[in-house]
Amino acid sequence: YRSEDLPPLQTAFDDSPGLGGRITKPSNDLKLRCTEFDEGGNVVLVNGEFRKHELIAKYSLLPRDLRKIDSSVLPHILVRPSAILLNLLHIRCLIKYNRVLVFDVYGSTDSYAQSLFMYDLEGKLRQKQTSTTAGGALPYEFRALEAVLISVTTGLESEFEGVRDPVMRVLRELEEDIDRDKLRHLLVYSKKLSTFEQRARLVRDAIDNLLEEDDDLQDMYLTEKAQGVVREEDNHEEVELLLESYHKVADEIVQISSNLVTSIKNTEEIIRAILDANRNALMLLDLKFSILTLGTTVGMFIAALYGMNLENFIEETSFGFAGISGLCTVLAIASTIWGLKRLRKVQKVRMWGDGGSMIQSRSDRHRLPARGPQKELEGSGSEPRGLGEAVTGIKGREAIKQWRIEQAARAKQLKMARMEAAGQPVVRG
């Protein structure tokens, strides 16, 4: 693995919002610039300026409608009596039954997607009666709406493809080796993917909210309303099918991106657990060295006492050196073994403490084997190793106690019956 195999970080650390990203500004300007398409799909006005109050009066809008189009970065699909307003990612437009106004997006970072949308919109609007469906020709406003949805979903798919490939590559490489550079790239891609998922989710929710409103779906038939045709409230199958098809695409993108975010979180948790295990192993190794040092120090303490320049007359004996050396060695080994045993005991993770009922007492482990029904109830008599086995052991001991009580009652009844048969007085408690 080489760090140069990954894409440069200056693009990954870029703070630009990506698809449809735009920089919000205070909306103090009283004019909006837009490009206008006529009924035949021809561009009749490029970068034309309209005053806001003129748009409000001409298309029967509300001031808050233009605020959602001009300054809001959240996706919106607004249906008004004579127009449809859309604010989806890099597209902001107003659709009439015979006109489409595409507003210029201030600070947009995706001019290529906008140019592609303009070309596709022009082609859709020029189809006129040649584009037919099962129910007839698509009206003008639905062709414009379809062009907007195609551009939005295509942009989401292309952006997701650009984010998914490097994320999958980093995840595969982390399975083989955990490296600092890989973790840094994973952090960057995780942030970009979370931002993309949130944006795709907002687009899907905007379409879903529109599908829940029957009144808005009915009002979207602008051509029929201009011709004076009255449509029933629940008769909006064409636009509903159109919206549902692109809602399905957006929902699929959201689900796949959510699964990828979950995979990143699971990988981070596993890496965290591995690092914790490695840290614990290093701490355990340090404790073992400390215990070994303690054992050596205990042995050296005796040698230090006899190494002082004091008369103890042990140096005159023939076994003094060997005896003191052996004693120091034994003390050092004994101290080391004791410390390692205590460390091993601390390492054991138990649900209950040493005094809990999960651990059998020494007298229970060394008692004589049972016979008859008691043996069947006690089983093998081995120490429980898990919570399930511990609960089974507790139930077994309760059953043994109940069996003993029943056996005592039966023995008492048998003794009383024998006394009655022998004619002896019986005292019943």
Side-chain angles (χ1 to χ4, degrees):
Y1 167 78
R2 297 177 301 175
S3 59
E4 55 267 19
D5 295 337
L6 293 171
L9 279 180
Q10 54 265 28
T11 59
F13 278 113
D14 190 8
D15 292 332
S16 62
L19 177 64
R22 48 182 184 264
I23 306 170
T24 57
K25 65 171 183 176
S27 182
N28 297 324
D29 194 2
L30 297 178
K31 295 182 180 181
L32 291 176
R33 292 191 307 172
C34 63
T35 301
E36 184 176 358
F37 292 85
D38 62 4
E39 187 175 2
N42 301 313
V43 179
V44 297
L45 183 63
V46 179
N47 292 332
E49 292 187 352
F50 290 90
R51 294 184 178 274
K52 291 185 178 180
H53 68 273
E54 293 177 356
L55 291 175
I56 292 173
K58 183 176 181 179
Y59 299 107
S60 302
L61 303 178
L62 299 174
R64 61 173 177 267
D65 297 337
L66 291 183
R67 281 200 304 270
K68 292 180 180 180
I69 295 298
D70 184 31
S71 59
S72 177
V73 296
L74 298 178
H76 291 287
I77 302 178
L78 305 178
V79 180
R80 294 298 177 254
S82 61
I84 302 174
L85 287 88
L86 296 101
N87 181 4
L88 297 176
L89 301 184
H90 59 283
I91 299 175
R92 296 183 302 172
C93 67
L94 183 147
I95 301 175
K96 292 277 293 180
Y97 74 95
N98 60 352
R99 286 286 185 276
V100 175
L101 275 68
V102 180
F103 298 97
D104 292 346
V105 181
Y106 174 79
S108 175
T109 58
D110 203 341
S111 58
Y112 174 75
Q114 290 179 337
S115 301
L116 191 63
F117 164 69
M118 292 288 190
Y119 179 78
D120 186 57
L121 176 62
E122 185 177 359
K124 287 286 185 183
L125 297 180
R126 287 181 177 179
Q127 289 179 0
K128 294 184 179 180
Q129 303 299 327
T130 60
S131 176
T132 59
T133 60
L138 278 176
Y140 181 87
E141 63 271 15
F142 291 168
R143 281 181 276 147
L145 177 63
E146 185 178 13
V148 172
L149 295 177
I150 288 176
S151 179
V152 170
T153 53
T154 303
L156 288 175
E157 290 175 350
S158 61
E159 184 181 3
F160 178 67
E161 291 294 334
V163 177
R164 181 183 61 181
D165 294 339
V167 169
M168 295 299 296
R169 184 171 66 251
V170 173
L171 291 178
R172 286 194 300 266
E173 292 172 351
L174 283 174
E175 293 178 358
E176 301 175 357
D177 181 33
I178 299 176
D179 184 73
R180 182 177 180 180
D181 291 336
K182 297 175 185 176
L183 294 177
R184 185 162 56 97
H185 283 87
L186 182 64
L187 175 62
V188 174
Y189 293 139
S190 176
K191 291 180 179 179
K192 292 178 69 68
L193 184 61
S194 299
T195 303
F196 168 79
E197 181 199 7
Q198 182 181 10
R199 190 160 57 251
R201 190 181 300 274
L202 290 174
V203 173
R204 183 199 63 180
D205 293 343
I207 300 176
D208 185 63
N209 293 335
L210 180 59
L211 286 170
E212 296 295 330
E213 300 293 336
D214 290 336
D215 295 339
D216 290 343
L217 294 177
Q218 181 185 5
D219 291 338
M220 293 181 72
Y221 289 85
L222 303 179
T223 301
E224 293 186 0
K225 292 173 66 176
Q227 296 174 355
V229 178
V230 179
R231 179 175 287 266
E232 297 179 1
E233 183 178 356
D234 56 350
N235 186 14
H236 42 68
E237 295 181 359
E238 294 85 355
V239 65
E240 188 172 0
L241 291 175
L242 177 64
L243 293 173
E244 283 182 351
S245 60
Y246 292 99
H247 175 271
K248 182 179 180 181
V249 176
D251 184 66
E252 184 178 357
I253 295 174
V254 171
Q255 296 300 327
I256 297 175
S257 59
S258 300
N259 294 337
L260 193 55
V261 170
T262 303
S263 299
I264 293 177
K265 292 181 180 179
N266 294 337
T267 302
E268 291 175 350
E269 293 178 358
I270 293 173
I271 291 174
R272 192 178 297 111
I274 292 174
L275 295 178
D276 291 342
N278 293 339
R279 182 169 56 251
N280 294 339
L282 292 175
M283 294 174 62
L284 181 61
L285 181 62
D286 181 66
L287 288 174
K288 290 182 179 179
F289 276 111
S290 300
I291 291 172
L292 182 61
T293 304
L294 175 64
T296 305
T297 304
V298 171
M300 293 176 63
F301 176 73
I302 305 298
L305 291 178
Y306 284 96
M308 293 187 296
N309 295 326
L310 298 176
E311 294 184 357
N312 49 32
F313 304 104
I314 196 171
E315 63 272 5
E316 298 177 358
T317 61
S318 58
F319 57 86
F321 176 76
I324 295 302
S325 300
L327 178 62
C328 293
T329 304
V330 170
L331 287 177
I333 294 175
S335 301
T336 303
I337 293 175
W338 177 82
L340 292 176
K341 285 185 177 180
R342 295 293 300 178
L343 179 61
R344 190 177 296 109
K345 186 176 181 180
V346 173
Q347 281 183 264
K348 293 181 179 180
V349 180
R350 294 178 177 177
M351 186 170 295
W352 295 350
D354 293 338
S357 58
M358 284 185 65
I359 305 173
Q360 295 180 351
S361 63
R362 182 173 300 176
S363 59
D364 292 338
R365 289 196 296 265
H366 295 284
R367 65 187 178 185
L368 295 176
R371 297 180 180 179
Q374 184 177 354
K375 181 177 180 180
E376 296 177 359
L377 292 171
E378 289 181 344
S380 60
S382 60
E383 182 180 357
R385 297 182 179 178
L387 181 59
E389 296 180 0
V391 174
T392 304
I394 294 173
K395 293 181 178 179
R397 284 192 290 273
E398 293 178 352
I400 292 171
K401 184 177 179 181
Q402 183 66 25
W403 177 80
R404 288 175 177 172
I405 294 174
E406 294 177 357
Q407 292 296 326
R410 291 177 183 175
K412 185 176 180 181
Q413 292 178 359
L414 182 61
K415 183 178 179 181
M416 293 173 60
R418 290 177 179 175
M419 292 176 64
E420 290 179 355
Q424 299 179 1
V426 178
V427 179
R428 300 181 181 274

